[in-house]
């Protein structure tokens, strides 16, 4: 077996504690993912990535650094990866999706902080994730109060750069985000020592757009019935897209889509055609958070779309590729990123429009509106979300959960009852 | 789904390149196999294994030889999958 212990040691990791995660992953992945039947063959790549999750990609990032390159860790889909790649840097997602990292975060954060923030802080401070050790700069943003304070704590340990995201969507807010992108470009240029040019930015805009197009193709296949890929598998593809090489990510997603499109032609699905089709909307599910999808898909339904950061918000809308001057490219970036509809904005009617549109496009039978515990933004926005879904006549439930196993049976009971209700 | 009698054969490799090489060769030969994280009880190190059914093992061993794939070992495990899995990592 490949022995990554030397690499982890060199990264200053706590090997003993990290080993507990290495122990848990194979059993969980086997029972959650590999136990599924009739998976597309193209999922083999993603099985490989998970099997080597703290080995292959970290080794690539370290090799990039050895050759003088820099790695930027990001926590939010508003941070424009294009800027980093235009300066020959690599952007990698850093969000923590495991209960394993939560106690580490609770050493410095209030218990009443969302598990995503606790896990992200815990992964860095407890030295139990290679990605959190490798990143030269952590790029934070102002999407919620918990994160804003967490950056200050992380900044005691690592270089943290924070982007100030406007929270309304007027023209002046889009212009303000363009200014923030300019300031971020300066930081990236300083860190990498590489100048961003109109040519290099045009290239990286295409690179990231191609990744978005490829992910959109996978999701397009999910609109069909019987659905050719499970929600769990689709979620995994999105999660891995956050830290994979963007060109490889696009190539793999396109190859998988070729297979999915053939399955659609032949009427091959992973669930019977009459299986209730579920949309999940709400807070992101960072890898390896597969909890709700697993419960839904082992309770008689299939997840066909996620209206979340680890879902449609990540790839919908492309950056205009026709601009050739830096200032206009930056405006195009700002315009695209400000189309993402996060609950940190007020008002945020765009998200409700998205939910209702996606419900039609993916022909959903029911919606699960879910938020991570202690996420004030999404739990508060749930009032308006539920009202709109109810008016549209779509069955729904609202759930609040975290990464732990404690509520799994309760969730299973509630989800099971919801699916039963849809079936009637 | 519990299937007590099913045997899974795990093929372990010195590195992932050998595993991917065998996976490609097995696919080309039409032999069913699955990339899997290596169970902890088989190795202390993280990384990929290939899982083949017991009835396909002979064919897998033939392909290993023909392609000169370097492997560490092959271990047979009785499949233990609980009816409901509620553990996450």
């Amino acid at each position: 077996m490949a022995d990554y212990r030397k690499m982890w040691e060199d990264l200053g990791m706590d090997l003993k504690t990290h080993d507990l995660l290495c122990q848990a992953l194979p059993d969980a992945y086997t029972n959650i993912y590999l136990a599924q039947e009739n998976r597309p063959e193209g999922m083999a790549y993603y099985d490989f990535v998970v099997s080597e999750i703290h080995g292959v990609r970290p080794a690539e990032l370290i090799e990039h650094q050895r050759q003088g390159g820099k790695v930027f860790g990001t926590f939010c889909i508003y941070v424009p990866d294009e800027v980093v790649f235009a300066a020959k840097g690599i952007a990698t997602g850093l969000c923590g999706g495991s209960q394993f990292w939560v106690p580490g975060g609770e050493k410095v954060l209030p218990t009443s902080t969302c598990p995503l923030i606790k896990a992200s802080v815990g992964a860095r401070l407890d030295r139990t994730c290679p990605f959190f050790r490798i990143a030269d700069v952590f790029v934070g943003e102002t999407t919620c109060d918990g994160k804003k304070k967490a950056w200050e704590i992380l900044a005691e340990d690592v270089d943290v750069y924070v982007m100030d995201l406007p929270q309304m969507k007027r023209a002046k807010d889009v212009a303000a985000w363009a200014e923030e992108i300019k300031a971020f470009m300066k930081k990236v240029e300083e860190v990498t020592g590489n100048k961003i040019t109109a040519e290099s930015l045009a290239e990286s805009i295409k690179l990231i757009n191609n990744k978005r197009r490829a992910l959109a193709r996978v999701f397009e296949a999910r609109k069909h019935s019987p659905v050719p890929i499970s929600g769990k598998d689709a979620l995994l593809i999105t999660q891995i897209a956050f830290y994979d090489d963007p060109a490889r990510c696009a190539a793999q997603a396109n190859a998988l889509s070729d297979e999915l499109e053939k399955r659609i032609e032949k009427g091959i699905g992973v669930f019977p055609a009459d299986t209730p089709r579920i949309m999940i909307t709400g807070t992101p599910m960072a890898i390896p958070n597969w909890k709700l999808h697993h419960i839904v898909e082992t309770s008689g339904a299939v997840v066909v779309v996620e209206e979340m950061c680890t879902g449609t918000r990540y790839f919908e809308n492309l950056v205009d590729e026709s601009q050739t001057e830096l200032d206009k490219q930056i405006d195009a970036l700002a315009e695209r990123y400000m189309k993402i509809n996060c609950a940190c904005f007020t008002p945020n009617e765009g998200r409700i429009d998205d939910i209702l549109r996606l419900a039609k496009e993916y022909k959903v039978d029911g919606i699960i509106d879910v938020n991570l515990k202690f996420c004030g933004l999404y739990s508060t926005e749930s009032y308006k979300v539920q009202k709109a879904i109810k008016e549209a006549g779509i069955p729904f439930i609202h759930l609040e959960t975290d990464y732990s196993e404690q509520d799994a049976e309760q969730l299973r009971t509630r989800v099971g009852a919801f699916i039963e209700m849809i079936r009637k | 789904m519990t299937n007590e009698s099913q045997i899974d054969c795990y093929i372990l490799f010195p590195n992932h390149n050998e595993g991917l090489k065998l996976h490609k060769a097995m696919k080309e030969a039409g032999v069913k196999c699955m990339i899997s994280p290596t169970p902890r009880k088989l190795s202390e190190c993280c990384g990929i294994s290939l899982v083949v059914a017991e009835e396909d093992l002979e064919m897998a061993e033939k392909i290993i030889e023909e392609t000169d794939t370097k492997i560490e070992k092959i271990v047979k495990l009785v499949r233990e999958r609980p009816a409901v899995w509620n553990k996450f990592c």
Side-chain angles (χ1 to χ4, degrees):
Chain A
M1 299 300 305
D3 195 343
Y4 296 114
R5 282 175 291 197
K6 171 80 173 62
M7 178 176 84
W8 296 332
E9 248 172 40
D10 292 346
L11 288 170
M13 287 174 62
D14 174 352
L15 264 63
K16 203 172 158 194
T17 311
H18 176 249
D19 195 53
L20 299 173
L21 182 62
C22 296
Q23 276 178 36
L25 183 73
D27 271 357
Y29 193 73
T30 299
N31 283 284
I32 295 170
Y33 273 90
L34 302 182
Q36 298 178 97
E37 288 179 13
N38 199 21
R39 295 172 77 211
E41 285 195 7
M43 287 311 297
Y45 170 72
Y46 303 94
D47 294 338
F48 159 66
V49 173
V50 172
S51 300
E52 300 272 342
I53 197 155
H54 282 178
V56 170
R57 186 60 176 156
E60 286 179 354
L61 297 179
I62 290 167
E63 179 57 21
H64 170 72
Q65 287 172 321
R66 206 185 57 78
Q67 292 177 12
K70 298 292 178 189
V71 176
F72 294 74
T74 65
F75 298 84
C76 178
I77 59 170
Y78 281 97
V79 174
D81 286 352
E82 291 89 341
V83 170
V84 175
F85 286 97
K88 298 187 178 70
I90 293 181
T92 184
L94 281 186
C95 291
S98 170
Q99 179 64 23
F100 173 77
W101 292 306
V102 167
E106 285 177 340
K107 288 178 193 167
V108 292
L109 295 165
T111 310
S112 55
T113 304
C114 94
L116 194 148
I117 298 173
K118 287 191 281 199
S120 301
V121 171
R124 170 69 198 187
L125 299 187
D126 272 359
R127 298 176 288 116
T128 45
C129 175
F131 291 96
F132 280 82
R133 304 302 306 166
I134 291 168
D136 297 288
V137 182
F138 284 21
V139 187
E141 61 340 285
T142 53
T143 46
C144 77
D145 290 350
K147 276 183 161 185
K148 282 189 274 190
K149 294 293 109 183
W151 307 140
E152 295 172 21
I153 296 169
L154 282 169
E156 292 178 354
D157 194 48
V158 63
D159 183 6
V160 178
Y161 179 86
V162 180
M163 296 185 76
D164 184 8
L165 181 73
Q167 321 247 291
M168 294 179 78
K169 289 190 175 176
R170 300 158 300 185
K172 68 176 186 179
D173 298 311
V174 180
W177 189 236
E179 285 305 312
E180 273 299 298
I181 293 175
K182 268 186 210 166
F184 180 49
M185 278 174 67
K186 207 172 154 211
K187 169 75 178 175
V188 171
E189 286 178 336
E190 276 168 17
V191 172
T192 60
N194 297 323
K195 191 93 190 131
I196 296 172
T197 63
E199 289 73 28
S200 70
L201 191 53
E203 205 176 301
S204 69
I205 285 172
K206 276 186 194 147
L207 176 76
I208 305 300
N209 270 349
N210 283 340
K211 175 163 104 170
R212 293 190 183 107
R213 288 184 182 103
L215 293 172
R217 249 186 99 190
V218 173
F219 272 61
E220 190 64 29
R222 302 172 76 192
K223 293 179 179 172
H224 292 263
S225 180
V227 64
I229 183 168
S230 69
K232 273 194 275 196
D233 279 336
L235 174 66
L236 182 64
I237 292 165
T238 312
Q239 289 172 332
I240 287 174
F242 278 74
Y243 65 93
D244 202 355
D245 171 75
R248 182 171 56 203
C249 168
Q252 292 293 340
N254 277 322
L256 178 77
S257 294
D258 290 342
E259 184 186 353
L260 298 182
E261 285 157 16
K262 277 181 197 145
R263 282 186 158 209
I264 292 164
E265 272 174 34
K266 292 177 185 164
I268 299 171
V270 284
F271 293 91
D274 63 350
T275 306
R277 299 166 61 86
I278 303 295
M279 175 201 295
I280 299 185
T281 178
T283 45
M285 295 174 174
I287 198 164
N289 178 9
W290 306 310
K291 183 176 170 181
L292 187 56
H293 278 59
H294 177 66
I295 289 171
V296 170
E297 296 196 335
T298 50
S299 299
V302 54
V303 179
V304 292
V305 61
E306 298 82 18
E307 187 284 311
M308 41 182 53
C309 301
T310 45
T312 52
R313 282 180 223 145
Y314 188 46
F315 64 79
E316 283 200 329
N317 301 306
L318 299 174
V319 178
D320 178 8
E321 293 180 8
S322 67
Q323 301 302 328
T324 51
E325 292 164 33
L326 262 182
D327 279 351
K328 291 193 172 159
Q329 288 170 322
I330 293 163
D331 288 344
L333 284 170
E335 278 165 24
R336 186 270 160 191
Y337 279 90
M338 287 290 277
K339 283 180 191 161
I340 301 169
N341 295 311
C342 172
C344 68
F345 282 85
T346 185
N348 191 31
E349 295 301 324
R351 178 168 167 235
I352 289 165
D353 295 343
D354 286 343
I355 293 168
L356 299 179
R357 169 178 58 83
L358 294 167
K360 278 187 193 156
E361 286 180 13
Y362 290 80
K363 303 174 199 72
V364 308
D365 298 306
I367 298 177
I368 298 178
D369 171 31
V370 64
N371 62 264
L372 289 166
K373 273 186 189 161
F374 308 117
C375 177
L377 289 167
Y378 277 88
S379 59
T380 307
E381 190 161 281
S382 183
Y383 169 79
K384 293 206 79 171
V385 168
Q386 289 184 44
K387 199 172 161 208
I389 297 172
K390 196 173 175 185
E391 277 169 13
I394 306 167
F396 70 92
I397 48 167
H398 175 247
L399 300 174
E400 188 163 85
T401 186
D402 56 19
Y403 299 160
S404 76
E405 291 156 16
Q406 291 166 356
D407 62 349
E409 277 304 335
Q410 285 179 13
L411 283 179
R412 198 172 277 285
T413 304
R414 289 191 65 192
V415 167
F418 177 59
I419 294 166
E420 196 56 39
M421 184 193 81
I422 292 172
R423 279 198 177 278
K424 283 178 185 166
Chain B
M1 197 182 315
T2 308
N3 192 345
E4 293 296 339
S5 58
Q6 173 98 35
I7 302 282
D8 289 321
C9 304
Y10 282 83
I11 309 171
L12 277 63
F13 305 91
N15 59 62
H16 69 270
N17 291 324
E18 295 296 317
L20 292 177
K21 179 175 142 186
L22 185 63
H23 179 257
K24 188 166 175 264
M26 301 262 275
K27 259 181 78 175
E28 282 165 6
V31 183
K32 274 185 84 170
C33 66
M34 190 167 63
I35 294 177
S36 166
T38 305
R40 175 42 66 107
K41 56 186 154 189
L42 302 187
S43 173
E44 289 249 316
C45 303
C46 299
I48 71 164
S49 300
L50 278 195
V51 186
V52 294
E54 203 175 19
E55 60 265 29
D56 292 326
L57 184 58
E58 206 180 307
M59 184 61 95
E61 285 172 325
K62 200 172 154 235
I63 297 170
I64 290 167
E65 206 181 312
E66 282 170 3
T67 54
D68 194 24
T69 304
K70 292 173 188 61
I71 67 162
E72 266 191 1
K73 57 182 172 181
I74 298 174
V75 186
K76 291 183 185 180
L77 283 184
V78 176
R79 184 179 292 182
E80 289 170 3
R81 286 193 188 153
V84 178
W85 181 268
N86 272 341
K87 283 187 180 171
F88 307 97
C89 56

